[in-house]
Amino acid sequence: MGFLGYSDVICDGDKAIVYLGYNSMMSLKLSHGTVTQTKRGALRHSDIIGKKYGCRLSTLSDKGYVHLLQPTPELWTLNLPHRTQILYFADISLITLQLELKPGSVVVESGTGSGSVSHAFARTIAPNGHLHTFEFHEQRAVKAREDFKDHGISHLVTVAHRDVLEHGFGIDFTVDAVFLDLPCPWRAVSHAKKILKTSGGKICSFSPCIEQVQRTCEELGSLGFSDISTFECLQRNYEHRTVILPYPNLGTKTVSRDDSKQASPNPDDSSSLQDTGIPGTSTEARQGDGATDIASGTTTPEAGKPLDRQGETDREESDRNEGGSQAKRPKLCEGAPQDNKKGNSLNYPTKCAVPWKDMPGHTGFLTFATLYILPGGS
Amino acid sequence: MASTDVIKQGQNVILKKGKSLRLYQVWRKRRVHLDKKHFFLDEAIGKPYGTTWDVHGQNVCLVTPDEERDEDVREGGTDNRGINDDTRSQKLSDEDIKALKSKGQHGAAIVEQLVENSTSFKEKTVYSQAKYLKKKRDKHLMRFQILRPNTILLCEMYLMRAPSKNIHLRIDTLAQILTAANIQSGINVMMMETCQGLLLGAIMERMAGKGTVVQIHSESAPVRLAVEAYNFPSSYKDTLHAFPLDQLGFLEPKESVESNNPEQSTSEVSDRLQACKTEEPQATNGKSVESKDCPQCSESDAKERSVGHRTQKEEERSNGEEENDSNVEDCDAAADDAGMVAMEADCQSGEGGTQGQKRKFQVNPEKEARKQRRRESLCRVRDLLHNTKMDVLVMACRFQPLPIFTALFKFLAPSRPFVVYCHYIEPLMECNEWLRNCNNAVNIRVTETWLREYQVLPERTHPNVNMSGTGGYLLTGTTVSNET
């Protein structure tokens, strides 16, 4: 199973990720004799066990197929049962790096929540590090412990049911890093200071509200933490879409106008590509591709057009309803007069990178600090 | 205190003064340079990391934590209605300040004098006073911190000094590469980077000397500048395997190479190399290379390297076009393609080529041995890639990603992650399209992150005035097989 390392064959008792299609996955604990319903059809677990991870499997009654993936902490984050709000990939990545986690690190986490961060931490500190995670909600602590056992990482994680704000961490050794995801993180800072290594121990606090950040930073400063910094990190997804913008009818009949357009090179594009060391080559590849794709047979002197439409289509894209396909193209040309559109329709449709319509606007503020308490007199 | 927490001779350290970061190796009697000052770090040897130091003449002295704390400003004006920008508020002239400095006055004393001689200081609000003090302290106090190099500091340092050398890799993006690639101890990593070893170092740190890293490199030898900074135990290097980018053609699947007559296909590669190497005086002649199993890597000669690069670009371009057209990985076609490029290159530099072959050269036994070692290493990596499926593919380089990506993708086992970084989105979209057509990956994402830092101060919390516009883009996904 993939939470630590990789294995090739799916075994009984494994937790596999069933990839159902774009943006659609589910986790599946495998046991012989069980059948699970998915939106692509039913899956018989006995059919899955013994198969290789990554394989494609048709659902019963051949309604469709799914892919079976090895769980990684990142896939798990997307598929775990939410018992609380969880942290996602972008924040987890930054936290892991800023806390300087690596194999052998000893790290404390509070609270455990649904275990999204815990899995990522455990993966990074394996094989000889340890994660001490604290959760004040008893049932969540129990569930998390079960999860870690199921996922073969229980040797790396100790789950404690404990209210850290009230009682501190209750451990008598020092740790490399502390991660706080608590409602009143400033109240835990003094407890954290007691267990952090004084030679550069790292602390991170995740809080959704700026007032929490304010109080935490004040507390960190007054307790002698240095390099206090606060970040916000948001992820934006892009998809590849074919963008078709209708050619505007300007009431003129000239064909020559698009020559003038081509003559003006796009300074933006060439300058931005310059420091890759291969100016212009990537656009050429694209154009070659586009020309054969679209024109299919027509002789196209326009094949080498600059990609200057990229910018404008990106913005105007929202007017267009959905990704067009080859079949739709002829329809599109109907609006424009035949002679006018001819040269320009070779530009369109074009492939654009379009951000998803929705993106997270806020997850939380990440506050980082380092503890250096220097021995007196040195 | 553990012995690892103190600064030792020979270790790499980072000197941090304000926002500026400098990487130095600590040696007795070795001069370092920071903010136009030269000094020795001798005093710091044996002292813990994280300590703050002042420069006194040529030496440094430790700053105690009490000295370190900035005293709070208590009294101040209510607003700035009485403050005019007339350059008359500071009574000390430039000469006065210079005189103070040349008298060897300590920076703190200079700042004090500046405050005393500023007519407007008392009228400033406490916030404005704090800002003023900070600015003056940064300027006049030669105070810096000695830190242990880590990925964050190195990334910041490179990004500040030469972002393009570092292919604009930003800290959050680097963090995501490591996470998305599921980097951990004991796995097999295949990676290509052109960010001075920063990504390689970060990966090695997360693997802690266990597992395998196959590093594809573009120059004649891999650039591992940043890796040195991490002060890794020497055993970490044992996990590293270098493989030159211009030999990727040599990685054709074994079966096809065998059926295709191995001699021929390797000689094609070596021909190509030969063509690139014509400027090199000690170039081996074509015959001797042909008889050998693996072609040799080129020596680092600037001129020759530039020629080599051109050829390589050509190859990439033609490969890329081919991939775009057919969208299949056709190894034979790719090999032919490479052969054609080699011929082209031969024609271009045909004259040089014949010269190179005619030229007399002496056989240097040391060089021969080195070549032999390189050849062996090439074969070893080839065998490794053919016998062991890789667990992840990580790419962050200045080249077009698609040709490299398609060449390496096939060495990944199913259900494994891959991550490609590019400062621009369009090249990643090409890879995205290729992946969608080849049906060998799921959960494909192209993402960008937005990273904003905040100033958090009592009553003065707001986002920083400046922020990075982009951290580049990432293509991530998971491989699948279409076995049923």
Side-chain angles (χ1 to χ4, degrees):
Chain A
M1 205 165 25
F3 287 101
L4 281 185
Y6 292 100
S7 50
D8 289 334
V9 179
I10 307 172
C11 302
D12 193 8
D14 273 10
K15 209 165 261 181
I17 304 292
V18 183
Y19 187 85
L20 301 160
Y22 193 57
N23 257 344
S24 174
M25 281 183 272
M26 61 189 279
S27 75
L28 199 61
K29 187 174 178 178
L30 297 167
S31 66
H32 276 292
T34 317
V35 175
T36 303
Q37 291 297 330
T38 73
K39 68 175 190 180
R40 299 250 176 249
L43 287 170
R44 197 186 286 131
H45 289 207
S46 317
D47 294 344
I48 299 172
I49 295 163
K51 285 265 184 339
K52 282 189 173 163
Y53 276 115
C55 76
R56 193 169 81 175
L57 189 75
S58 298
T59 50
L60 298 177
S61 72
D62 271 335
K63 269 196 208 157
Y65 64 84
V66 299
H67 280 106
L68 297 159
L69 306 180
Q70 264 187 93
T72 63
E74 286 61 53
L75 287 173
W76 181 244
T77 292
L78 296 173
N79 291 289
L80 53 79
H82 283 222
R83 298 186 275 264
T84 55
Q85 287 204 341
I86 64 164
L87 271 86
Y88 287 98
F89 172 70
D91 288 320
I92 294 174
S93 304
L94 196 57
I95 294 166
T96 312
L97 191 69
Q98 291 269 6
L99 292 182
E100 287 187 52
L101 299 188
K102 50 184 168 252
S105 297
V106 180
V107 54
V108 159
E109 176 198 24
S110 180
T112 314
S114 309
S116 171
V117 178
S118 320
H119 281 83
F121 279 6
R123 173 263 321 274
T124 306
I125 61 172
N128 51 347
H130 205 87
L131 167 66
H132 299 269
T133 181
F134 296 85
E135 173 59 54
F136 73 161
H137 188 286
E138 185 165 14
Q139 203 200 349
R140 286 207 288 262
V142 171
K143 287 267 190 193
R145 211 174 278 135
E146 282 169 14
D147 278 349
F148 300 143
K149 192 153 177 282
D150 266 5
H151 300 164
I153 55 172
S154 56
H155 61 293
L156 295 165
V157 189
T158 305
V159 185
H161 167 228
R162 187 181 178 95
D163 184 349
V164 169
L165 293 179
E166 291 301 323
H167 308 296
F169 293 98
I171 54 179
D172 53 0
F173 46 85
T174 56
V175 301
D176 297 298
V178 171
F179 172 62
L180 302 175
D181 179 7
L182 296 166
C184 312
W186 60 92
R187 284 173 58 202
V189 173
S190 61
H191 299 308
K193 191 184 169 182
K194 283 184 208 135
I195 57 165
L196 265 178
K197 280 185 184 159
T198 54
S199 55
K202 297 272 175 178
I203 188 168
C204 170
S205 167
F206 174 90
S207 316
C209 304
I210 198 73
E211 290 80 3
Q212 295 170 299
V213 174
Q214 188 88 50
R215 296 184 71 168
T216 308
C217 285
E218 280 167 35
E219 184 72 4
L220 285 168
S222 68
L223 287 175
F225 282 83
S226 50
D227 302 331
I228 305 166
S229 56
T230 302
F231 290 96
E232 201 182 359
C233 183
L234 297 172
Q235 193 181 41
R236 171 186 263 171
N237 274 276
Y238 287 86
E239 62 188 25
H240 212 184
R241 271 205 236 146
T242 308
V243 171
I244 313 167
L245 299 181
Y247 186 73
N249 183 355
L250 302 179
T252 50
K253 265 179 140 188
T254 58
V255 194
S256 60
R257 66 149 289 284
D258 68 354
D259 290 348
S260 63
K261 193 189 172 188
Q262 286 158 42
S264 73
N266 183 13
D268 225 335
D269 208 67
S270 56
S271 69
S272 63
L273 272 164
Q274 232 152 38
D275 57 359
T276 57
I278 325 168
T281 39
S282 86
T283 46
E284 269 165 44
R286 282 179 62 100
Q287 284 151 6
D289 183 35
T292 48
D293 188 26
I294 298 156
S296 58
T298 338
T299 43
T300 57
E302 291 89 336
K305 268 180 203 165
L307 269 184
D308 54 352
R309 49 213 137 85
Q310 193 75 44
E312 49 188 282
T313 39
D314 247 0
R315 262 170 272 127
E316 290 162 26
E317 214 285 317
S318 52
D319 299 348
R320 206 187 42 77
N321 23 15
E322 61 193 294
S325 62
Q326 301 218 353
K328 282 183 183 167
R329 259 171 232 151
K331 227 195 283 174
L332 223 132
C333 304
E334 285 167 12
Q338 209 61 19
D339 54 341
N340 241 355
K341 134 244 126 184
K342 204 168 181 186
N344 290 279
S345 63
L346 297 170
N347 286 346
Y348 290 100
T350 182
K351 299 272 186 183
C352 284
V354 185
W356 287 6
K357 206 165 138 276
D358 297 303
M359 72 174 273
H362 181 61
T363 54
F365 299 103
L366 293 168
T367 300
F368 303 102
T370 313
L371 186 65
Y372 287 113
I373 299 290
L374 306 167
S378 73
Chain B
M1 185 178 303
S3 64
T4 51
D5 296 333
V6 300
I7 300 157
K8 292 196 202 99
Q9 276 211 76
Q11 272 182 343
N12 290 286
V13 299
I14 285 192
L15 309 186
K16 182 183 180 195
K17 180 181 182 290
K19 285 256 162 199
S20 69
L21 299 166
R22 286 261 164 186
L23 181 68
Y24 279 108
Q25 211 169 30
V26 179
W27 291 105
R28 275 189 207 286
K29 302 217 163 67
R30 178 185 281 193
R31 240 169 15 151
V32 300
H33 178 240
L34 184 72
D35 262 17
K36 296 179 200 156
K37 291 254 174 152
H38 293 273
F39 49 91
F40 297 97
L41 290 176
D42 295 25
E43 286 296 315
I45 295 170
K47 297 293 188 310
Y49 279 101
T51 40
T52 306
W53 299 80
D54 268 344
V55 179
H56 281 275
Q58 295 263 295
N59 288 312
V60 290
C61 71
L62 192 68
V63 178
T64 61
D66 319 325
E67 282 181 75
E68 211 178 318
R69 192 137 306 163
D70 304 339
E71 62 278 12
D72 289 321
V73 194
R74 270 166 230 96
E75 273 175 54
T78 44
D79 54 35
N80 62 7
R81 73 182 73 194
I83 297 174
N84 298 312
D85 184 13
D86 56 4
T87 67
R88 271 177 296 177
S89 49
Q90 182 54 257
K91 286 188 207 130
L92 290 182
S93 64
D94 272 357
E95 284 75 39
D96 295 337
I97 297 167
K98 271 183 198 146
L100 283 174
K101 269 187 186 167
S102 60
K103 265 194 276 172
Q105 279 268 23
H106 190 256
I110 297 177
V111 174
E112 230 166 79
Q113 296 246 10
L114 282 172
V115 170
E116 267 170 34
N117 287 290
S118 165
T119 50
S120 56
F121 185 79
K122 288 213 173 68
E123 285 176 54
K124 288 177 193 276
T125 63
V126 284
Y127 306 131
S128 175
Q129 286 180 3
K131 239 179 174 173
Y132 180 86
L133 280 175
K134 189 177 175 299
K135 221 164 97 187
K136 295 300 171 195
R137 282 202 189 104
D138 282 351
K139 187 163 178 196
H140 296 286
L141 256 71
M142 260 313 280
R143 183 165 284 184
F144 65 93
Q145 211 179 3
I146 305 185
L147 298 170
R148 194 198 315 268
N150 62 28
T151 309
I152 304 154
L153 290 170
L154 290 169
C155 186
E156 250 173 63
M157 187 178 81
Y158 284 119
L159 197 59
M160 231 162 353
R161 254 200 275 163
S164 63
K165 270 194 191 165
N166 197 27
I167 51 170
H168 307 267
L169 198 55
R170 201 174 62 188
I171 188 71
D172 54 324
T173 317
L174 178 56
Q176 289 181 15
I177 294 176
L178 297 172
T179 314
N182 197 16
I183 301 292
Q184 55 186 287
S185 189
I187 59 168
N188 300 315
V189 177
M190 179 166 48
M191 57 98 62
M192 158 107 205
E193 62 131 280
T194 55
C195 43
Q196 314 205 74
L198 178 64
L199 179 57
L200 177 67
I203 288 175
M204 284 167 74
E205 184 179 42
R206 293 265 175 110
M207 294 179 66
K210 295 200 184 75
T212 313
V213 182
V214 176
Q215 185 193 8
I216 315 294
H217 59 86
S218 58
E219 309 295 321
S220 57
V223 179
R224 289 174 183 163
L225 261 175
V227 177
E228 302 302 320
Y230 282 87
N231 303 315
F232 287 137
S234 57
S235 62
Y236 280 24
K237 283 209 175 112
D238 302 344
T239 59
L240 281 184
H241 303 269
F243 195 89
L245 180 67
D246 53 12
Q247 301 297 316
L248 281 185
F250 181 59
L251 288 179
E252 301 307 312
K254 254 186 176 164
E255 308 82 71
S256 90
V257 169
E258 269 155 19
S259 63
N260 254 354
N261 179 6
E263 241 70 44
Q264 200 197 324
S265 69
T266 48
S267 75
E268 267 173 14
V269 183
S270 30
D271 275 351
R272 178 156 40 111
L273 241 157
Q274 198 61 35
C276 310
K277 281 168 59 70
T278 49
E279 305 288 322
E280 202 182 10
Q282 66 272 17
T284 30
N285 64 36
K287 220 171 188 179
S288 75
V289 178
E290 244 168 83
S291 63
K292 273 154 198 160
D293 209 346
C294 313
Q296 76 283 24
C297 300
S298 47
E299 296 295 319
S300 59
D301 174 84
K303 217 170 180 184
E304 163 252 319
R305 204 189 291 164
S306 71
V307 177
H309 263 261
R310 214 177 306 138
T311 336
Q312 193 186 303
K313 275 177 220 159
E314 274 161 18
E315 183 198 344
E316 272 172 8
R317 204 175 305 156
S318 46
N319 269 350
E321 275 162 17
E322 185 162 294
E323 301 289 5
N324 280 347
D325 288 347
S326 57
N327 284 316
V328 283
E329 325 162 14
D330 192 336
C331 304
D332 286 347
D336 287 346
D337 197 34
M340 255 170 59
V341 173
M343 272 163 64
E344 268 173 40
D346 240 340
C347 295
Q348 277 169 12
S349 53
E351 203 189 329
T354 48
Q355 263 177 14
Q357 284 179 9
K358 275 181 209 157
R359 201 176 285 153
K360 287 271 172 202
F361 61 92
Q362 286 171 327
V363 179
N364 181 340
E366 219 173 275
K367 270 208 173 102
E368 281 301 305
R370 204 158 54 214
K371 271 177 202 156
Q372 185 62 34
R373 275 203 300 279
R374 283 216 192 94
R375 253 169 256 136
E376 278 164 9
S377 125
L378 278 187
C379 294
R380 210 168 43 237
V381 175
R382 182 187 63 175
D383 292 346
L384 178 78
L385 287 176
H386 285 303
N387 299 331
T388 319
K389 282 287 185 184
M390 291 287 122
D391 292 324
V392 64
L393 170 60
V394 187
M395 281 172 51
C397 60
R398 63 194 168 84
F399 298 100
Q400 282 182 45
L402 185 62
I404 306 173
F405 185 67
T406 50
L408 297 177
F409 188 77
K410 49 181 168 277
F411 297 107
L412 281 172
S415 192
R416 299 293 196 276
F418 54 85
V419 186
V420 185
Y421 163 84
C422 187
H423 190 52
Y424 313 100
I425 197 166
E426 287 80 4
L428 293 184
M429 284 303 176
E430 271 174 33
C431 297
N432 184 355
E433 201 174 4
W434 180 81
L435 281 169
R436 290 191 190 282
N437 287 328
C438 81
N439 270 328
N440 275 320
V442 295
N443 202 25
I444 308 162
R445 290 288 153 93
V446 176
T447 58
E448 175 194 18
T449 43
W450 184 87
L451 182 74
R452 183 177 235 186
E453 190 171 358
Y454 283 74
Q455 163 184 307
V456 182
L457 287 170
E459 322 263 333
R460 281 159 291 166
T461 295
H462 60 71
N464 280 2
V465 178
N466 292 310
M467 70 181 270
S468 149
T470 177
Y473 302 85
L474 287 180
L475 169 78
T476 58
T478 308
T479 59
V480 291
S481 67
N482 280 313
E483 279 174 39
T484 48

